Amino acid sequence: MSFPVLPRSAWPALLLSLCACSPPQNIHALNFRPGPAGGTIDPVRLLLDQTVPADRLLSVPEAVRRAPDGSVIVVCNASAKSLSWGVCSHISRKFSAGTVTDSPGFFDGGVKNRPESSLYRRHAVIVLDVGVTPERLPRLRAGAERLKGTPYLVGGTDDALDCTTYQNALQKAAGLPDVTSINPAWHIWLPQDALSGPAMHSGGQVLWVGMEGVN
């Protein structure tokens, strides 16, 4: 596999992508806390309020295990103090029991399926229903197989995909709206924007929130 030769102008964005693929969203720390059980979760307010119904707040491994096949998993850090690109730096997707599919980074070989346990040690995850029904799963999985090995590039191109543009490509394969739209301020696709993206506006919802330290 070979990686594309990048113009000099692309290197600043690439350097940001080596650790994560999301610039700042003006949220500098993340510490989800339980609220009354049985409530609904407003995805647009979730990172601002950081309150989750107690019956939806799980450990990170349990949230990932419960994620339905085809659901999107937004991956977040505890703090953005040393990470100028924000608290939610990655986006993945449940592929099948025990497996996720994503584009983890430039030095990680681009698009691949990997064990779901690769997400267990992250500070927090947010599991999103983005419209992938059992009937649509075969098309999504065929898209993942077709794109496997595609190299990583922040912002994506026709022959390279970052973590977010890969998930948009899988939505397209399944005949569904994109997970995110291009961010007007940063001119790239940001994982955090999945909480307010086209798929959520088309009936998507937050299923589970997982956080480090929750039993």
Side-chain angles (χ1 to χ4, degrees):
M1 183 196 329
S2 62
F3 292 97
V5 177
L6 303 181
R8 183 173 297 178
S9 61
W11 280 100
L14 174 60
L15 292 175
L16 284 177
S17 77
L18 298 183
C19 297
C21 60
S22 170
Q25 297 286 282
N26 300 317
I27 299 165
H28 303 290
L30 191 63
N31 185 31
F32 291 120
R33 53 194 175 274
T40 59
I41 301 174
D42 180 352
V44 176
R45 298 288 309 173
L46 179 58
L47 294 180
L48 297 171
D49 298 340
Q50 299 191 22
T51 300
V52 181
D55 53 340
R56 302 277 198 95
L57 185 61
L58 309 170
S59 68
V60 171
E62 184 62 19
V64 175
R65 282 192 289 266
R66 291 196 193 187
D69 292 355
S71 60
V72 157
I73 303 173
V74 179
V75 181
C76 304
N77 311 300
S79 170
K81 288 182 179 178
S82 61
L83 302 172
S84 62
W85 40 86
V87 289
C88 294
S89 57
H90 185 59
I91 189 168
S92 186
R93 189 183 297 258
K94 188 68 169 280
F95 188 74
S96 61
T99 306
V100 295
T101 187
D102 56 21
S103 184
F106 186 76
F107 293 119
D108 291 316
V111 170
K112 62 174 66 176
N113 297 342
R114 54 186 183 141
E116 68 173 34
S117 58
S118 61
L119 303 181
Y120 286 179
R121 294 184 178 274
R122 304 304 294 264
H123 176 69
V125 296
I126 304 167
V127 179
L128 305 179
D129 173 359
V130 290
V132 181
T133 60
E135 294 75 21
R136 293 180 185 271
L137 266 174
R139 293 165 61 186
L140 184 143
R141 287 172 172 159
E145 184 63 29
R146 184 173 65 253
L147 294 169
K148 190 180 296 183
T150 301
Y152 181 96
L153 180 63
V154 68
T157 66
D158 288 342
D159 56 0
L161 297 166
D162 66 17
C163 63
T164 311
T165 54
Y166 173 51
Q167 299 307 334
N168 281 350
L170 292 185
Q171 288 289 105
K172 183 177 181 180
L176 292 166
D178 285 350
V179 172
T180 70
S181 299
I182 194 165
N183 185 285
W186 291 92
H187 306 292
I188 56 175
W189 293 262
L190 305 181
Q192 216 151 277
D193 287 349
L195 293 167
S196 58
M200 298 302 281
H201 283 299
S202 299
Q205 59 180 320
V206 179
L207 298 177
W208 308 105
V209 175
M211 196 179 76
E212 185 180 37
V214 174
N215 295 323

